[in-house]
Amino acid sequence: MAALIPTGDAFAGTVPIGPATSSGSLGPALGGPITQDQIIARAHDWINNAVPYSMTAAWQDSTVGGPYLADCSGFISMAWGLKNSLVTWTLPDVSTVTATDVIGYTGLQPGDALDYTKEHVVLFDSWIDKSAGTFYYDAEHRPGTVANQRQGSVYASTLDGHALTT
């Protein structure tokens, strides 16, 4: 898995998962600079709206834009405010690779993606305990589930069913 950071302006802060927001304030203009707060707010909007995983259906609304495929890479594309859905192997085209091996890596920031380019990607949300390497991550995980938040560790051998070494 590689840790990816979307290209653009510097980031600061996170927002908690809360009531669904569809105020139109999740910005930015699609394809424009985006902040950490906006990335996390956009991800939480999908979580709060229980968007179901699908490799064929797309999600679109007046707040997040779209359409974005309702799969793992579509989730990241939406959260990052991209103009369209990318796939796991094309997300690195619009990001900066910060680590090729995330085990032990504690420099992750909210809004970074952990991308196994052959198969799956998740969004780093926030640290639970940085010194212990535990964190929250957001994702569309697999068919039959809705977008949600889970816990992981940079010291575990797997994340969301995938080896961290890949």
Side-chain angles (χ1 to χ4, degrees):
M1 247 182 221
L4 305 174
I5 300 172
T7 57
D9 293 348
F11 301 117
T14 62
V15 293
I17 293 178
T21 55
S22 291
S23 64
S25 63
L26 294 179
L30 293 179
I34 189 166
T35 67
Q36 263 181 318
D37 286 343
Q38 289 168 327
I39 291 169
I40 299 302
R42 291 168 69 85
H44 291 184
D45 187 61
W46 264 28
I47 291 168
N48 293 330
N49 284 291
V51 175
Y53 182 100
S54 174
M55 293 181 73
T56 57
W59 176 263
Q60 180 173 356
D61 71 27
S62 61
T63 301
V64 299
Y68 298 101
L69 284 178
D71 64 0
C72 62
S73 54
F75 178 82
I76 300 299
S77 298
M78 176 280 306
W80 283 1
L82 302 179
K83 291 180 182 178
N84 53 31
S85 285
L86 298 183
V87 293
T88 56
W89 59 89
T90 59
L91 282 168
D93 295 342
V94 296
S95 59
T96 303
V97 177
T98 60
T100 56
D101 184 355
V102 75
I103 295 175
Y105 189 70
T106 55
L108 292 168
Q109 298 286 319
D112 291 353
L114 300 172
D115 189 7
Y116 174 42
T117 57
K118 292 183 180 182
E119 199 165 318
H120 191 51
V121 61
V122 302
L123 186 74
F124 180 87
D125 187 289
S126 59
W127 289 105
I128 297 168
D129 182 343
K130 189 172 184 176
S131 64
T134 55
F135 60 91
Y136 291 112
Y137 66 95
D138 307 329
E140 285 282 6
H141 303 278
R142 57 191 47 88
T145 65
V146 296
N148 64 29
Q149 184 175 85
R150 296 183 181 177
Q151 295 182 19
S153 171
V154 296
Y155 302 113
S157 60
T158 64
L159 179 66
D160 218 35
H162 301 278
L164 283 175
T165 56
T166 58

